[in-house]
């Protein structure tokens, strides 16, 4: 009978051998989650783990097959050191396909629960991918309920509705009497950091469906932490914002991230407009202007991906009109810690 050895690890400070084992397992699992995508390079993965934003505290474990020494599973729990959402912890459990249904996840769960209790967190959140049904099945088994349905949609630039893009760019030209576009490549200048941090808080308006989550309050320091994380593993971050001439206020923004290791793929990040400036076409202008700039200055990019809540009908409508199509679905689940403890007690009594 296969026996498993579980060891605790600090994802920011592991040995080369430990990082190599994680990369091997993650590459296999990514091929399941995102079939057809090239693997994330080893150096990029390592830098990403070493540069997790400072306000996030992550505890992780690795599971090895004691017969072969192979890493066959990982688990982690992350908590944010912020004033909001102090009830919440996010967790992940990943198991090699050949080792599923052998109790690995059930051995990792008590460690995650113990850490949640130590941090006085009462709610766990985890995610599943539509390409890996085992994830959803496990989360349902431990008593998790669906909190948010997300669709990741992909636009092949060959399918882009260029007539619509031109229409939105023309709409933008009409808006230049009141607004101008501001562009940032990479880290934000200190002078702009407070206003951009405040602008990111507009994303609290996006649908959260049934997730038990409070508004996140983005601070300048948090933006700096995000920037360090993106830059450390090679990301190029572009931001476009619409600035109101009269007040100087930033009315809305959109941002994208591109990695040289995946030169064909652009990741669309956030797009948001403050309520007082909505229904004037600013969001459409920002999306069109960014796409136009990308196509002119990043010719290697052939596809764009973005994620939206399934209930976010206005944004889905805009994206579908441009030519985005469903790539995969990801689901956010939530479960009270006490419910996981009840599941574990029941499983132990079988």
């Amino acid at each position: 009978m296969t026996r498993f050895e579980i060891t605790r690890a600090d994802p920011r400070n592991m040995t080369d051998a430990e990082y190599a084992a994680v990369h091997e397992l993650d590459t296999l699992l990514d091929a399941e989650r995102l079939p057809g995508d090239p693997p994330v390079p080893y150096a990029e993965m390592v830098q990403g783990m070493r540069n997790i934003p400072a306000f996030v505290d992550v505890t992780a474990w690795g599971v090895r097959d004691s017969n072969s020494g192979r890493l066959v599973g990982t688990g982690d729990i992350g908590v944010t050191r912020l004033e909001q959402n102090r009830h919440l912890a996010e967790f992940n459990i990943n198991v090699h396909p050949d080792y599923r249904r052998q109790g690995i996840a059930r051995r990792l769960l008590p460690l995650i629960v113990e850490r949640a209790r130590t941090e006085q967190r009462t709610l766990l959140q985890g995610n599943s991918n539509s390409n890996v049904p085992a994830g959803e099945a496990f989360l349902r088994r431990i008593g998790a309920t669906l909190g948010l349905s997300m669709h990741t949609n992909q636009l092949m630039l060959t399918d882009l509705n260029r007539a619509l893009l031109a229409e939105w760019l023309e709409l933008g030209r009409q808006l230049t009497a009141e607004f101008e576009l501001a562009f940032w490549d990479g880290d934000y200048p200190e002078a702009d950091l407070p206003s951009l941090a405040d602008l990111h808080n507009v994303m609290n308006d996006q649908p959260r469906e049934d997730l038990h989550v409070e508004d996140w309050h983005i601070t300048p320091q948090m933006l700096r932490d995000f920037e360090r994380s993106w830059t450390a593993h090679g990301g190029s971050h572009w931001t476009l914002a619409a600035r109101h001439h009269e007040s100087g206020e930033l009315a809305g923004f959109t941002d994208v991230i591109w990695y040289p290791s995946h030169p064909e793929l652009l990741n669309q990040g956030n797009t948001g407009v403050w309520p007082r400036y909505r229904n004037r076409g600013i969001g459409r202008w920002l999306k069109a202007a960014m796409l136009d700039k990308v196509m002119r200055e990043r010719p290697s990019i052939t596809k764009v991906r973005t994620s939206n809540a399934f209930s976010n009908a206005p944004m889905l409508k805009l994206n579908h009109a441009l030519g985005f199509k469903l790539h995969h679905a990801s689901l956010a689940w939530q479960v009270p810690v006490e419910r996981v403890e009840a599941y574990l007690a029941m499983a132990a009594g079988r």
Side-chain angles (χ1 to χ4, degrees):
M1 180 178 179
T2 302
R3 297 190 314 179
F4 302 109
E5 178 186 357
I6 300 178
T7 56
R8 183 167 167 170
D10 175 2
R12 293 185 174 96
N13 186 28
M14 301 197 314
T15 67
D16 290 343
E18 288 171 331
Y19 281 128
V22 170
H23 183 255
E24 180 182 357
L25 179 60
D26 279 359
T27 298
L28 177 71
L29 296 173
D30 282 345
E32 264 194 305
R33 292 186 286 247
L34 300 171
D37 277 18
V40 175
Y42 170 76
E44 184 177 309
M45 184 214 73
V46 171
Q47 288 304 312
M49 293 178 69
R50 286 178 173 163
N51 290 277
I52 296 168
F55 61 86
V56 181
D57 191 348
V58 180
T59 304
W61 298 269
V63 184
R64 290 185 179 273
D65 180 334
S66 56
N67 295 327
S68 66
R70 184 182 193 183
L71 185 72
V72 297
T74 59
D76 65 74
I77 179 172
V79 297
T80 54
R81 302 302 184 195
L82 302 170
E83 290 304 313
Q84 61 269 194
N85 289 304
R86 298 182 68 84
H87 66 294
L88 177 65
E90 296 188 6
F91 80 105
N92 297 286
I93 292 178
N94 299 297
V95 180
H96 189 294
D98 293 345
Y99 288 81
R100 290 175 187 155
R101 305 293 295 184
Q102 296 186 45
I104 290 175
R106 200 159 58 243
R107 290 188 59 184
L108 287 166
L109 266 181
L111 302 173
I112 289 169
V113 166
E114 181 183 14
R115 187 63 183 162
R117 286 300 190 192
T118 299
E119 293 290 340
Q120 299 182 324
R121 306 295 165 122
T122 58
L123 186 70
L124 293 173
Q125 287 187 355
N127 297 297
S128 67
N129 180 298
S130 60
N131 292 322
V132 189
E136 177 176 341
F138 169 73
L139 288 161
R140 287 189 182 277
R141 193 158 58 246
I142 68 173
T145 56
L146 182 61
L148 176 66
S149 300
M150 298 285 290
H151 279 193
T152 295
N153 295 302
Q154 178 169 282
L155 169 67
M156 301 301 297
L157 290 181
T158 52
D159 296 332
L160 174 63
N161 186 336
R162 293 177 184 269
L164 186 60
L165 184 74
E167 179 183 318
W168 290 2
L169 289 171
E170 176 57 32
L171 173 62
R173 280 187 281 272
Q174 297 171 21
L175 288 168
T176 55
E178 289 186 77
F179 301 91
E180 64 180 352
L181 290 183
F183 174 72
W184 294 267
D185 182 353
D187 293 357
Y188 299 130
E190 283 294 330
D192 296 326
L193 196 59
S195 59
L196 283 161
D198 182 57
L199 181 60
H200 277 71
N201 288 310
V202 73
M203 299 312 298
N204 283 311
D205 286 352
Q206 63 186 332
R208 292 197 288 256
E209 296 180 2
D210 294 322
L211 281 182
H212 300 157
V213 178
E214 302 162 358
D215 284 356
W216 295 101
H217 301 301
I218 305 300
T219 66
Q221 186 55 54
M222 288 172 70
L223 276 190
R224 283 288 184 246
D225 287 343
F226 285 133
E227 288 173 345
R228 276 193 289 271
S229 181
W230 294 325
T231 302
H233 54 291
S236 175
H237 179 227
W238 284 4
T239 305
L240 267 178
R243 192 191 306 274
H244 188 234
H245 288 314
E246 184 176 347
S247 66
E249 184 178 35
L250 296 177
F253 81 108
T254 191
D255 67 346
V256 297
I257 301 176
W258 174 81
Y259 294 97
S261 60
H262 293 67
E264 78 292 347
L265 176 63
L266 182 75
N267 294 288
Q268 169 71 59
N270 295 313
T271 300
V273 177
W274 285 119
R276 55 191 170 275
Y277 294 110
R278 288 177 189 163
N279 300 315
R280 304 179 63 177
I282 293 173
R284 283 171 285 169
W285 179 26
L286 287 166
K287 289 178 74 72
M290 183 66 86
L291 273 174
D292 182 61
K293 184 176 181 65
V294 164
M295 289 190 294
R296 286 185 286 105
E297 300 182 23
R298 296 283 194 200
S300 67
I301 292 172
T302 60
K303 53 191 175 185
V304 183
R305 280 188 198 152
T306 187
S307 295
N308 303 106
F310 184 62
S311 57
N312 193 349
M315 189 58 68
L316 288 173
K317 182 178 179 180
L318 293 182
N319 287 334
H320 290 158
L322 282 171
F324 281 87
K325 298 175 182 176
L326 179 64
H327 186 265
H328 68 275
S330 57
L331 305 177
W333 301 81
Q334 56 196 3
V335 57
V337 172
E338 62 183 15
R339 188 175 298 171
V340 181
E341 291 171 326
Y343 163 79
L344 290 168
M346 180 186 68
R350 287 175 182 168

